[in-house]
Amino acid sequence: MADEVLSTPGHLISLAARGFARLSESRLKPLGFGVGHLPVLVALRDGKAHTQRDLARFARIGQPPMAQMLARMERDGLIQRTRDPSDGRSSRIVLTRAARERLPAAIATLYEGNRQALAGFTATEASQLADLLTRLIDNLDQLTGAETSP
């Protein structure tokens, strides 16, 4: 009976998430990125966030871990901070040229990893899985009071 807990969706999703993280990290590292960087990079590229607070909300993580990640990304030449002209206490964050140039290869790498991980799934099954996971994440956000992405 105790083994049944290892067959629950929560446990299986956790295993899948860790597997995807390992795969993504190993493929993104040569490009100078980490898997945790992707929400920040995409948000900055798409203009969805420009401050630490907005990036933390977008990535669904707390501000202290976001501050640490941004410090590492700045050290690694992926982002630049400038004073926000409308609020001198705040910084605006932008991608560096190097990050913008390497980002398409990183995204292509992630798509390829997803394609390989979903080998044997039909396009309909892959789409259905994404839809189900999105609904699950929404339910979990409601249960935990998490803010959703903008």
Side-chain angles (χ1 to χ4, degrees), residues 41-77:
L41 297 167
V42 169
L44 292 172
R45 180 199 67 189
D46 294 348
K48 294 186 178 191
H50 298 287
T51 66
Q52 177 179 309
R53 180 179 53 214
D54 292 340
L55 289 166
R57 188 175 300 126
F58 184 85
R60 295 178 170 170
I61 64 172
Q63 285 214 47
M66 178 57 69
Q68 293 171 346
M69 183 187 323
L70 292 174
R72 288 188 304 273
M73 291 176 76
E74 187 173 30
R75 177 201 67 203
D76 296 342

Side-chain angles (χ1 to χ4, degrees), residues 25-122:
E25 282 293 337
S26 69
R27 293 180 177 195
L28 290 174
K29 190 173 185 170
L31 298 170
F33 297 125
V35 72
H37 296 156
L38 265 294
V40 171
L41 297 167
V42 169
L44 292 172
R45 180 199 67 189
D46 294 348
K48 294 186 178 191
H50 298 287
T51 66
Q52 177 179 309
R53 180 179 53 214
D54 292 340
L55 289 166
R57 188 175 300 126
F58 184 85
R60 295 178 170 170
I61 64 172
Q63 285 214 47
M66 178 57 69
Q68 293 171 346
M69 183 187 323
L70 292 174
R72 288 188 304 273
M73 291 176 76
E74 187 173 30
R75 177 201 67 203
D76 296 342
L78 301 175
I79 62 165
Q80 292 176 319
R81 299 180 207 229
T82 58
R83 285 243 181 262
D84 186 333
S86 63
D87 180 359
R89 299 168 296 153
S90 183
S91 294
R92 293 192 55 80
I93 302 165
V94 297
L95 293 178
T96 63
R97 182 177 171 188
R100 283 191 313 274
E101 289 174 352
R102 294 194 316 249
L103 187 54
I107 291 171
T109 295
L110 291 175
Y111 277 128
E112 177 63 14
N114 273 269
R115 187 190 66 71
Q116 292 171 334
L118 294 174
F121 286 65
T122 66

